[in-house]
Amino acid sequence: MAGVEREIIDRIEKTGRITKEELSILLLSSDDKSMDYLAKRAGETTLRHYGNKIYIRGLIEFTNYCRNDCYYCGIRKSNRNAKRYRLSEEEILSAAGLGYRLGFRTFVLQGGEDPWFTDEKICALVSAVKSDHPDCAVTLSIGEKKRDSYQAYFDAGADRYLLRHETADEVHYRKLHPPDLALSNRIRCLSELKEIGYQTGCGFMVGSPGQTMETLFLDLSLIQELSPHMVGIGPFIPHKDTPFCREAPGTLERTLRLLSIIRLIHPKVLLPATTALGTIHPDGRKRGILAGANVVMPNLTPQHVREKYELYNGKASFGEEAAEGLGALSEELKRIGYQIAVDIGDSKVPIVCGRRWPKIAAQK
Ligand code: SAM
């Protein structure tokens, strides 16, 4: 490994900062040794803050109806080939009940932006899950809403919210989204979620069309500014019925390098080894954990609709990616020295309410 790469990695670990040039050097390097060293430093950082515990979140994908038309996403509204579904409250509660019996203590309710699920319905759903399982955390991931809606879900008992910012670069954002969506609104949402008191997660796809070193550097700068509790990154994978059907997917290597860099810059952040990472490579999730990730989100969606939540081609949702495969996942993790945590797994990043993030992309 070139000495300069080792020096950069050591410096990032020491200072928690990275320059654009350093980011380019680490991401453009094809040196396996530097990748191993980066993963080693990141893995040790995770162990220092979280021990060898991997947090599990049970993912319930409760609707694939979406009013948005993001160019990368398989459930975008213009995709006439998508077979649409909505789970009933009963089905969602039964999925959570199954998850509870399997050992999950966090449920992530994720869906497209589906207006059928009004604020009243979402609040009723959140209260019902919390009253069935008062010792569990509920995470919502249902897109951009008004502040009052976020407040209502929070008052109903929601603890956490995942909303990837997708890209911190305005020009890149325009390439990925139709004109009715705006980066400034996404940032407004993230800002309000954190002010309300949610444990908040942002994130982006690695290798989305048009992504450059510059856009990635802006992503890292935005994450620095937001100081979220979770950062969700996974490779972009094309879907055949989207405008990006012929684009190349993001790579395992770049995703792993970025996971490690994020871990070194944000030692206490929750970092999932995502489904997309497990989809592009059979060992993707395991490699993600060895590179500094400490969360996995097995799929608890009822099996008869699971394949319909197809964000990208080949999305893994069975085997060890599935909640039913928890035993196999646990064995796999044990082999690399990790174990599944049974507690709700709060982030160690403190919750700071009432703070605004006025800078960066929101002003562009
Ligand atoms: N509607 C909610 C939202 O907008 O945050 C949650 C659902 S959305 C489908 C969840 C995430 O899937 C997005 O934030 C995006 O990063 C990811 N995603 C969508 N299409 C993808 C693709 N082709 N490859 C990888 N990830 C994708």
Side-chain angles (χ1 to χ4, degrees):
M1 163 180 34
V4 63
E5 289 180 38
R6 191 186 179 106
E7 270 171 36
I8 292 171
I9 295 165
D10 289 342
R11 192 162 50 243
I12 300 171
E13 183 177 7
K14 201 159 151 222
T15 62
R17 304 221 152 239
I18 189 168
T19 65
K20 207 185 301 177
E21 199 195 354
E22 290 169 340
L23 179 68
S24 300
I25 292 172
L26 293 184
L27 293 186
L28 296 175
S29 164
S30 52
D31 183 344
D32 287 346
K33 289 213 180 76
S34 89
M35 182 141 156
D36 292 347
Y37 186 65
L38 187 54
K40 183 166 181 282
R41 300 310 319 141
E44 282 177 16
T45 304
T46 315
L47 284 173
R48 216 165 34 248
H49 291 281
Y50 285 99
N52 70 341
K53 302 266 189 310
I54 300 298
Y55 294 120
I56 49 169
R57 281 46 171 130
L59 182 61
I60 305 174
E61 297 157 334
F62 67 97
T63 172
N64 71 350
Y65 282 87
C66 192
R67 63 177 177 177
N68 292 334
D69 223 5
C70 308
Y71 302 145
Y72 46 83
C73 187
I75 62 168
R76 64 199 299 266
K77 76 168 172 211
S78 301
N79 181 7
R80 306 238 179 279
N81 294 330
K83 296 189 182 70
R84 305 287 171 177
Y85 72 91
R86 282 185 188 108
L87 297 183
S88 63
E89 182 171 314
E90 205 180 13
E91 287 174 306
I92 298 168
L93 293 180
S94 136
L98 168 69
Y100 192 87
R101 291 191 295 282
L102 287 168
F104 288 91
R105 294 295 178 266
T106 294
F107 302 109
V108 181
L109 304 181
Q110 191 184 84
E113 285 192 24
D114 179 357
W116 187 89
F117 279 98
T118 57
D119 287 351
E120 291 68 31
K121 287 186 177 125
I122 295 291
C123 289
L125 199 53
V126 170
S127 324
V129 176
K130 289 293 268 198
S131 90
D132 280 1
H133 309 291
D135 54 336
C136 292
V138 171
T139 302
L140 290 174
S141 178
I142 52 174
E144 297 174 21
K145 306 278 175 181
K146 296 208 175 78
R147 186 188 178 114
D148 288 352
S149 307
Y150 289 144
Q151 186 68 59
Y153 311 152
F154 189 76
D155 295 342
D159 306 275
R160 305 171 182 160
Y161 205 103
L162 303 181
L163 184 78
R164 288 183 174 182
H165 62 278
E166 312 297 0
T167 172
D169 179 77
E170 182 62 47
V171 177
H172 188 214
Y173 198 90
R174 290 270 57 84
K175 283 193 184 145
L176 301 179
H177 300 95
D180 60 323
L181 293 174
L183 175 58
S184 55
N185 195 44
R186 207 88 184 156
I187 306 277
R188 189 265 310 158
C189 291
L190 283 162
S191 173
E192 290 178 352
L193 286 163
K194 215 172 161 197
E195 279 169 27
I196 290 169
Y198 283 95
Q199 289 184 42
T200 306
C202 65
F204 58 92
M205 292 173 287
V206 177
S208 60
Q211 187 176 68
T212 61
M213 281 304 150
E214 176 75 31
T215 59
L216 283 169
F217 184 70
L218 288 174
D219 285 321
L220 296 187
S221 307
L222 180 62
I223 294 169
Q224 189 90 40
E225 179 139 352
L226 296 183
S227 184
H229 303 93
M230 179 181 269
V231 177
I233 67 163
F236 158 76
I237 303 175
H239 185 287
K240 63 178 175 35
D241 298 317
T242 63
F244 292 157
C245 58
R246 284 183 225 293
E247 298 287 343
T251 64
L252 173 73
E253 287 71 21
R254 182 161 288 188
T255 310
L256 293 175
R257 280 176 188 264
L258 277 162
L259 278 172
S260 297
I261 290 169
I262 292 169
R263 169 60 68 211
L264 291 180
I265 299 177
H266 303 279
K268 295 184 182 172
V269 85
L270 292 168
L271 205 51
T274 57
T275 306
L277 190 59
T279 301
I280 48 158
H281 192 281
D283 285 337
R285 202 166 42 181
K286 198 164 67 184
R287 298 274 306 271
I289 286 165
L290 291 169
N294 65 335
V295 177
V296 289
M297 299 191 187
N299 202 314
L300 262 181
T301 310
Q303 294 190 13
H304 69 283
V305 294
R306 216 178 266 176
E307 280 177 344
K308 296 182 184 161
Y309 199 81
E310 195 189 34
L311 306 180
Y312 43 82
N313 288 342
K315 179 168 164 277
S317 57
F318 289 93
E320 285 171 30
E321 204 59 54
E324 325 73 87
L326 201 58
L329 173 66
S330 167
E331 284 308 310
E332 191 190 336
L333 293 178
K334 254 190 225 155
R335 279 196 286 278
I336 55 168
Y338 289 84
Q339 67 185 75
I340 283 173
V342 282
D343 54 304
I344 69 173
D346 278 329
S347 158
K348 304 214 166 154
V349 177
I351 298 177
V352 184
C353 301
R355 204 189 114 215
R356 282 207 167 267
W357 302 307
K359 290 190 253 158
I360 304 197
Q363 285 186 339
K364 282 189 178 171

